[in-house]
Amino acid sequence: MPNFVKMKKELLYEGKAKRIWSTDDHSLVIQEFKDDATAFNGLKKDQIKNKGVLNTGISSAIFEYLIAHGIPTHFVKALSENEMLVKRVEIIKVEVVIRNIAAGSLVKKFGFAEGEELKFPLVEYYLKSDELGDPLFSLEHILTLELATKDEMEKIHSLALKINELMQKFWFDRGIDLVDFKLEFGRAANGEIILADEISPDTCRLWDLHTGEKMDKDRFRFDMGKVEEAYAEISRRVKIHN
Ligand code: TMP
């Protein structure tokens, strides 16, 4: 990879936890992870010390694992302690949540007991829109809004379930229950649907298999303390090789 590819040119997009920069190669962009954390659609704002670095390492290791198991992703390589080089994609404005155990909004909205194991992995879709507060919506909304085609959504659904199986095993091997997590997909230049964004304690609920301790962003959302420590422990366990 020539050196110039690493050069940040202009800021293309700034989200709540990441920045996307262009490079000299139009097909590649730099994804920079920030320490900023928000919750409840930006209502709660703070920083988590070292989060950018920890999430870059965690997310890079997970993308490498998924790629090794045949999942197409945007990940190219880690560039620095808080930046990764990724393929440029057009992000599909659908946040895909996969749940194995009831928690969070599933408990609030549908009356499940927290910790209840679901009969089968539940796939949900949320509109990716800060202005509209990311509402839960259906496949038919997605098709009506023309956010993706039926074929693309079939691909996304099957990839989401495959990724869930792989990630459940990945975390189980590290003493962690994968409760639920959020994925984003993008359209690559050739039209292929690939996994994008990140997978980290910001986007997953991760509970210690033995103690049930919460080791993810819920510690920040609900002021549970030891937030940085939880992210650091997840980072340590991610590095365990089986
Ligand atoms: P929820 O229970 O609040 O709907 O969250 C489900 C999962 O999605 C949980 O692992 C946290 C993750 N998530 C995000 O990554 N971004 C978000 O904006 C929200 C609301 C949830």
Side-chain angles (χ1 to χ4, degrees), residues 111-129:
F112 283 90
E114 186 180 66
E116 190 179 335
E117 211 165 301
L118 303 180
K119 298 273 182 297
F120 52 84
L122 174 61
V123 179
E124 296 177 331
Y125 304 122
Y126 292 83
L127 173 63
K128 184 174 164 67
S129 164

PDB file of all heavy atoms in Angstrom, residues 111-129:
ATOM      1  N   GLY A 111     -42.192  -5.707  26.843  1.00  0.00           N
ATOM      2  CA  GLY A 111     -42.455  -6.376  28.117  1.00  0.00           C
ATOM      3  C   GLY A 111     -41.695  -7.679  28.352  1.00  0.00           C
ATOM      4  O   GLY A 111     -42.061  -8.446  29.244  1.00  0.00           O
ATOM      5  N   PHE A 112     -40.663  -7.941  27.590  1.00  0.00           N
ATOM      6  CA  PHE A 112     -39.819  -9.112  27.894  1.00  0.00           C
ATOM      7  C   PHE A 112     -39.134  -8.871  29.237  1.00  0.00           C
ATOM      8  O   PHE A 112     -38.902  -7.719  29.631  1.00  0.00           O
ATOM      9  CB  PHE A 112     -38.724  -9.283  26.835  1.00  0.00           C
ATOM     10  CG  PHE A 112     -39.209  -9.872  25.536  1.00  0.00           C
ATOM     11  CD1 PHE A 112     -39.668  -9.048  24.517  1.00  0.00           C
ATOM     12  CD2 PHE A 112     -39.187 -11.246  25.328  1.00  0.00           C
ATOM     13  CE1 PHE A 112     -40.109  -9.580  23.311  1.00  0.00           C
ATOM     14  CE2 PHE A 112     -39.620 -11.785  24.124  1.00  0.00           C
ATOM     15  CZ  PHE A 112     -40.082 -10.947  23.116  1.00  0.00           C
ATOM     16  N   ALA A 113     -38.763  -9.960  29.922  1.00  0.00           N
ATOM     17  CA  ALA A 113     -37.968  -9.819  31.149  1.00  0.00           C
ATOM     18  C   ALA A 113     -36.514  -9.680  30.734  1.00  0.00           C
ATOM     19  O   ALA A 113     -36.049 -10.424  29.856  1.00  0.00           O
ATOM     20  CB  ALA A 113     -38.144 -11.056  32.022  1.00  0.00           C
ATOM     21  N   GLU A 114     -35.779  -8.741  31.350  1.00  0.00           N
ATOM     22  CA  GLU A 114     -34.366  -8.595  30.997  1.00  0.00           C
ATOM     23  C   GLU A 114     -33.634  -9.907  31.278  1.00  0.00           C
ATOM     24  O   GLU A 114     -33.826 -10.516  32.339  1.00  0.00           O
ATOM     25  CB  GLU A 114     -33.702  -7.453  31.774  1.00  0.00           C
ATOM     26  CG  GLU A 114     -32.279  -7.246  31.256  1.00  0.00           C
ATOM     27  CD  GLU A 114     -31.501  -6.143  31.956  1.00  0.00           C
ATOM     28  OE1 GLU A 114     -31.212  -6.308  33.157  1.00  0.00           O
ATOM     29  OE2 GLU A 114     -31.177  -5.144  31.297  1.00  0.00           O
ATOM     30  N   GLY A 115     -32.860 -10.352  30.324  1.00  0.00           N
ATOM     31  CA  GLY A 115     -32.075 -11.578  30.506  1.00  0.00           C
ATOM     32  C   GLY A 115     -32.762 -12.819  29.942  1.00  0.00           C
ATOM     33  O   GLY A 115     -32.164 -13.890  29.864  1.00  0.00           O
ATOM     34  N   GLU A 116     -34.033 -12.666  29.567  1.00  0.00           N
ATOM     35  CA  GLU A 116     -34.790 -13.792  28.995  1.00  0.00           C
ATOM     36  C   GLU A 116     -34.181 -14.194  27.649  1.00  0.00           C
ATOM     37  O   GLU A 116     -33.983 -13.344  26.769  1.00  0.00           O
ATOM     38  CB  GLU A 116     -36.234 -13.319  28.789  1.00  0.00           C
ATOM     39  CG  GLU A 116     -37.217 -14.385  28.445  1.00  0.00           C
ATOM     40  CD  GLU A 116     -38.647 -13.801  28.293  1.00  0.00           C
ATOM     41  OE1 GLU A 116     -38.964 -12.739  28.880  1.00  0.00           O
ATOM     42  OE2 GLU A 116     -39.420 -14.434  27.551  1.00  0.00           O
ATOM     43  N   GLU A 117     -33.887 -15.496  27.512  1.00  0.00           N
ATOM     44  CA  GLU A 117     -33.330 -15.957  26.242  1.00  0.00           C
ATOM     45  C   GLU A 117     -34.433 -16.010  25.186  1.00  0.00           C
ATOM     46  O   GLU A 117     -35.523 -16.530  25.450  1.00  0.00           O
ATOM     47  CB  GLU A 117     -32.720 -17.352  26.441  1.00  0.00           C
ATOM     48  CG  GLU A 117     -31.559 -17.568  25.520  1.00  0.00           C
ATOM     49  CD  GLU A 117     -30.712 -18.751  25.925  1.00  0.00           C
ATOM     50  OE1 GLU A 117     -30.196 -18.741  27.062  1.00  0.00           O
ATOM     51  OE2 GLU A 117     -30.602 -19.664  25.110  1.00  0.00           O
ATOM     52  N   LEU A 118     -34.157 -15.495  24.002  1.00  0.00           N
ATOM     53  CA  LEU A 118     -35.177 -15.496  22.947  1.00  0.00           C
ATOM     54  C   LEU A 118     -35.203 -16.861  22.262  1.00  0.00           C
ATOM     55  O   LEU A 118     -34.189 -17.544  22.187  1.00  0.00           O
ATOM     56  CB  LEU A 118     -34.882 -14.374  21.943  1.00  0.00           C
ATOM     57  CG  LEU A 118     -34.798 -12.973  22.552  1.00  0.00           C
ATOM     58  CD1 LEU A 118     -34.509 -11.923  21.484  1.00  0.00           C
ATOM     59  CD2 LEU A 118     -36.090 -12.622  23.302  1.00  0.00           C
ATOM     60  N   LYS A 119     -36.373 -17.235  21.748  1.00  0.00           N
ATOM     61  CA  LYS A 119     -36.545 -18.555  21.102  1.00  0.00           C
ATOM     62  C   LYS A 119     -35.645 -18.687  19.871  1.00  0.00           C
ATOM     63  O   LYS A 119     -35.180 -19.769  19.540  1.00  0.00           O
ATOM     64  CB  LYS A 119     -37.993 -18.751  20.666  1.00  0.00           C
ATOM     65  CG  LYS A 119     -38.988 -18.741  21.811  1.00  0.00           C
ATOM     66  CD  LYS A 119     -39.147 -20.146  22.413  1.00  0.00           C
ATOM     67  CE  LYS A 119     -40.175 -20.172  23.524  1.00  0.00           C
ATOM     68  NZ  LYS A 119     -39.815 -19.336  24.704  1.00  0.00           N
ATOM     69  N   PHE A 120     -35.455 -17.577  19.173  1.00  0.00           N
ATOM     70  CA  PHE A 120     -34.556 -17.559  18.007  1.00  0.00           C
ATOM     71  C   PHE A 120     -34.057 -16.129  17.850  1.00  0.00           C
ATOM     72  O   PHE A 120     -34.667 -15.198  18.382  1.00  0.00           O
ATOM     73  CB  PHE A 120     -35.275 -18.039  16.731  1.00  0.00           C
ATOM     74  CG  PHE A 120     -36.565 -17.340  16.454  1.00  0.00           C
ATOM     75  CD1 PHE A 120     -36.593 -16.119  15.799  1.00  0.00           C
ATOM     76  CD2 PHE A 120     -37.774 -17.904  16.863  1.00  0.00           C
ATOM     77  CE1 PHE A 120     -37.790 -15.464  15.553  1.00  0.00           C
ATOM     78  CE2 PHE A 120     -38.980 -17.246  16.624  1.00  0.00           C
ATOM     79  CZ  PHE A 120     -38.985 -16.024  15.963  1.00  0.00           C
ATOM     80  N   PRO A 121     -32.929 -15.940  17.145  1.00  0.00           N
ATOM     81  CA  PRO A 121     -32.393 -14.582  17.007  1.00  0.00           C
ATOM     82  C   PRO A 121     -33.422 -13.669  16.339  1.00  0.00           C
ATOM     83  O   PRO A 121     -34.003 -14.025  15.312  1.00  0.00           O
ATOM     84  CB  PRO A 121     -31.165 -14.762  16.114  1.00  0.00           C
ATOM     85  CG  PRO A 121     -30.812 -16.205  16.223  1.00  0.00           C
ATOM     86  CD  PRO A 121     -32.105 -16.946  16.447  1.00  0.00           C
ATOM     87  N   LEU A 122     -33.639 -12.540  16.966  1.00  0.00           N
ATOM     88  CA  LEU A 122     -34.631 -11.586  16.468  1.00  0.00           C
ATOM     89  C   LEU A 122     -33.908 -10.488  15.696  1.00  0.00           C
ATOM     90  O   LEU A 122     -32.996  -9.841  16.218  1.00  0.00           O
ATOM     91  CB  LEU A 122     -35.383 -10.989  17.668  1.00  0.00           C
ATOM     92  CG  LEU A 122     -36.365  -9.863  17.409  1.00  0.00           C
ATOM     93  CD1 LEU A 122     -37.492 -10.301  16.477  1.00  0.00           C
ATOM     94  CD2 LEU A 122     -36.954  -9.377  18.738  1.00  0.00           C
ATOM     95  N   VAL A 123     -34.303 -10.298  14.430  1.00  0.00           N
ATOM     96  CA  VAL A 123     -33.686  -9.246  13.597  1.00  0.00           C
ATOM     97  C   VAL A 123     -34.675  -8.080  13.506  1.00  0.00           C
ATOM     98  O   VAL A 123     -35.845  -8.281  13.160  1.00  0.00           O
ATOM     99  CB  VAL A 123     -33.361  -9.782  12.180  1.00  0.00           C
ATOM    100  CG1 VAL A 123     -32.743  -8.684  11.316  1.00  0.00           C
ATOM    101  CG2 VAL A 123     -32.414 -10.989  12.266  1.00  0.00           C
ATOM    102  N   GLU A 124     -34.193  -6.898  13.843  1.00  0.00           N
ATOM    103  CA  GLU A 124     -35.042  -5.698  13.783  1.00  0.00           C
ATOM    104  C   GLU A 124     -34.371  -4.648  12.900  1.00  0.00           C
ATOM    105  O   GLU A 124     -33.148  -4.605  12.805  1.00  0.00           O
ATOM    106  CB  GLU A 124     -35.194  -5.056  15.167  1.00  0.00           C
ATOM    107  CG  GLU A 124     -35.902  -5.879  16.202  1.00  0.00           C
ATOM    108  CD  GLU A 124     -35.906  -5.149  17.555  1.00  0.00           C
ATOM    109  OE1 GLU A 124     -34.982  -4.374  17.846  1.00  0.00           O
ATOM    110  OE2 GLU A 124     -36.842  -5.375  18.315  1.00  0.00           O
ATOM    111  N   TYR A 125     -35.189  -3.768  12.330  1.00  0.00           N
ATOM    112  CA  TYR A 125     -34.669  -2.679  11.504  1.00  0.00           C
ATOM    113  C   TYR A 125     -35.058  -1.334  12.110  1.00  0.00           C
ATOM    114  O   TYR A 125     -36.209  -1.151  12.546  1.00  0.00           O
ATOM    115  CB  TYR A 125     -35.247  -2.766  10.083  1.00  0.00           C
ATOM    116  CG  TYR A 125     -34.984  -4.092   9.403  1.00  0.00           C
ATOM    117  CD1 TYR A 125     -36.047  -4.869   8.947  1.00  0.00           C
ATOM    118  CD2 TYR A 125     -33.681  -4.570   9.241  1.00  0.00           C
ATOM    119  CE1 TYR A 125     -35.812  -6.090   8.323  1.00  0.00           C
ATOM    120  CE2 TYR A 125     -33.445  -5.792   8.621  1.00  0.00           C
ATOM    121  CZ  TYR A 125     -34.513  -6.548   8.174  1.00  0.00           C
ATOM    122  OH  TYR A 125     -34.284  -7.756   7.572  1.00  0.00           O
ATOM    123  N   TYR A 126     -34.102  -0.424  12.160  1.00  0.00           N
ATOM    124  CA  TYR A 126     -34.341   0.947  12.627  1.00  0.00           C
ATOM    125  C   TYR A 126     -33.904   1.903  11.521  1.00  0.00           C
ATOM    126  O   TYR A 126     -32.834   1.710  10.921  1.00  0.00           O
ATOM    127  CB  TYR A 126     -33.531   1.246  13.896  1.00  0.00           C
ATOM    128  CG  TYR A 126     -34.002   0.450  15.104  1.00  0.00           C
ATOM    129  CD1 TYR A 126     -33.577  -0.862  15.315  1.00  0.00           C
ATOM    130  CD2 TYR A 126     -34.895   1.011  16.015  1.00  0.00           C
ATOM    131  CE1 TYR A 126     -34.025  -1.597  16.407  1.00  0.00           C
ATOM    132  CE2 TYR A 126     -35.354   0.288  17.115  1.00  0.00           C
ATOM    133  CZ  TYR A 126     -34.915  -1.018  17.303  1.00  0.00           C
ATOM    134  OH  TYR A 126     -35.368  -1.741  18.384  1.00  0.00           O
ATOM    135  N   LEU A 127     -34.714   2.932  11.283  1.00  0.00           N
ATOM    136  CA  LEU A 127     -34.329   3.962  10.310  1.00  0.00           C
ATOM    137  C   LEU A 127     -33.141   4.745  10.859  1.00  0.00           C
ATOM    138  O   LEU A 127     -33.193   5.226  11.998  1.00  0.00           O
ATOM    139  CB  LEU A 127     -35.517   4.914  10.071  1.00  0.00           C
ATOM    140  CG  LEU A 127     -35.221   6.153   9.214  1.00  0.00           C
ATOM    141  CD1 LEU A 127     -34.820   5.769   7.790  1.00  0.00           C
ATOM    142  CD2 LEU A 127     -36.452   7.069   9.185  1.00  0.00           C
ATOM    143  N   LYS A 128     -32.062   4.837  10.068  1.00  0.00           N
ATOM    144  CA  LYS A 128     -30.884   5.594  10.513  1.00  0.00           C
ATOM    145  C   LYS A 128     -31.132   7.069  10.241  1.00  0.00           C
ATOM    146  O   LYS A 128     -30.909   7.555   9.137  1.00  0.00           O
ATOM    147  CB  LYS A 128     -29.643   5.088   9.765  1.00  0.00           C
ATOM    148  CG  LYS A 128     -28.331   5.716  10.209  1.00  0.00           C
ATOM    149  CD  LYS A 128     -27.161   5.039   9.497  1.00  0.00           C
ATOM    150  CE  LYS A 128     -25.884   5.848   9.575  1.00  0.00           C
ATOM    151  NZ  LYS A 128     -25.341   5.957  10.917  1.00  0.00           N
ATOM    152  N   SER A 129     -31.663   7.764  11.250  1.00  0.00           N
ATOM    153  CA  SER A 129     -31.967   9.192  11.113  1.00  0.00           C
ATOM    154  C   SER A 129     -31.979   9.848  12.489  1.00  0.00           C
ATOM    155  O   SER A 129     -32.895   9.607  13.288  1.00  0.00           O
ATOM    156  CB  SER A 129     -33.334   9.374  10.443  1.00  0.00           C
ATOM    157  OG  SER A 129     -33.781  10.698  10.651  1.00  0.00           O
TER     158      SER A 129
END
